[in-house]
Amino acid sequence: MSKPKFAMYWAAACGGCEIAVLNIDEKVLDLDANFEVAFWPAAMDVKYQEVEAMEDASILVTLFNGSIRTDENEHMARLLRRKSKLLVAFGSCANEGCIPGLANLSPLEEIFDRAYTSPSTVNPDHVRPKTASQVPEGVLTLTPLQAVIRTLDQVVEVDYHVPGCPPESHQIAAVLEVLIAVVKGGAELRPRARCWEPAIPRYAKNAPANVT
């Protein structure tokens, strides 16, 4: 019998949520014992095309950490929502924006000016990131930044929320224990419910409305 699939994705975040999962020590072996890790870019080489080829709802659970900052983040949020039975907003950035969400206090152009032309930056040629650059090997592309940062549930439906910056080890272990119990038929998950409204709309100027 094949094992249920597990996935984890890192959007606009620092990476602490990824490390936090490893901080559950030997319990991470229970993850491998009970799940097939189908997609986890920080831990394995899986291409986006491989996820796109999976059947819809073929992934039992995806832990999605990070807010939505780029077109790529949004694409993956929508893709993983479609491919996952359960989508979990994992960590503060996915739930309420956290530190990356502070970028919504400033227009995008002002952020670029501060990063690339302020007195603290040595950039005499005023080089800025480009979404496409020609190099001898071909064309390098960089996903565009969106006008504002959004939480995961401002883009897609979210089944469960796990707070924390990052979530504590005991929280992650408890989530894993419940998922394993569900897989083994010893527990049932409660219906989808939103734990709280995203914090970003309170300070984002012209933030888009929720889109599902």
Side-chain angles (χ1 to χ4, degrees):
M1 181 178 176
S2 61
K3 294 187 287 187
K5 290 182 172 65
F6 167 91
M8 188 166 186
Y9 178 72
W10 173 358
C14 69
C17 290
E18 305 275 341
I19 296 171
V21 172
L22 300 179
N23 283 344
I24 62 176
D25 300 323
E26 69 275 2
K27 287 185 178 293
V28 77
L29 299 177
D30 295 336
L31 176 65
D32 181 64
N34 291 276
F35 293 90
E36 174 191 344
V37 180
F39 180 67
W40 191 355
M44 59 189 294
D45 183 17
V46 180
K47 309 303 183 187
Y48 289 172
Q49 295 89 332
E50 295 177 55
V51 180
E52 291 165 352
M54 295 177 186
E55 293 184 9
D56 289 355
S58 61
I59 299 172
L60 175 62
V61 59
T62 293
L63 303 184
F64 191 108
N65 74 90
S67 48
I68 308 301
R69 167 87 277 190
T70 68
D71 289 355
E72 179 183 4
N73 295 156
E74 181 171 353
H75 169 72
M76 291 307 299
R78 295 187 184 281
L79 177 62
L80 289 168
R81 172 66 281 178
R82 194 168 74 248
K83 302 299 179 180
S84 306
K85 292 181 179 177
L86 298 173
L87 184 64
V88 179
F90 188 73
S92 292
C93 292
N95 280 295
E96 34 79 13
C98 201
I99 299 300
L102 294 175
N104 284 349
L105 295 171
S106 303
L108 196 57
E109 189 61 30
E110 184 178 314
I111 294 172
F112 275 90
D113 287 342
R114 176 62 63 89
Y116 294 100
T117 62
S118 68
S120 63
T121 303
V122 179
N123 186 15
D125 297 326
H126 301 287
V127 175
R128 297 288 187 101
K130 299 178 180 179
T131 55
S133 299
Q134 183 69 48
V135 296
E137 295 78 10
V139 178
L140 295 178
T141 59
L142 185 66
T143 182
L145 294 184
Q146 297 186 346
V148 296
I149 283 179
R150 289 176 287 170
T151 60
L152 181 59
D153 66 359
Q154 286 181 296
V155 176
V156 295
E157 289 283 355
V158 171
D159 298 295
Y160 294 95
H161 300 254
V162 178
C165 182
E168 297 287 343
S169 297
H170 70 273
Q171 292 175 299
I172 301 171
V175 169
L176 182 57
E177 288 171 2
V178 169
L179 289 173
I180 291 173
V182 169
V183 168
K184 294 183 175 180
E188 293 183 2
L189 292 174
R190 292 184 297 173
R192 174 188 300 159
R194 174 170 290 178
C195 297
W196 61 81
E197 288 295 324
I200 283 182
R202 289 200 291 267
Y203 57 81
K205 296 180 180 178
N206 302 317
N210 288 9
V211 178
T212 57

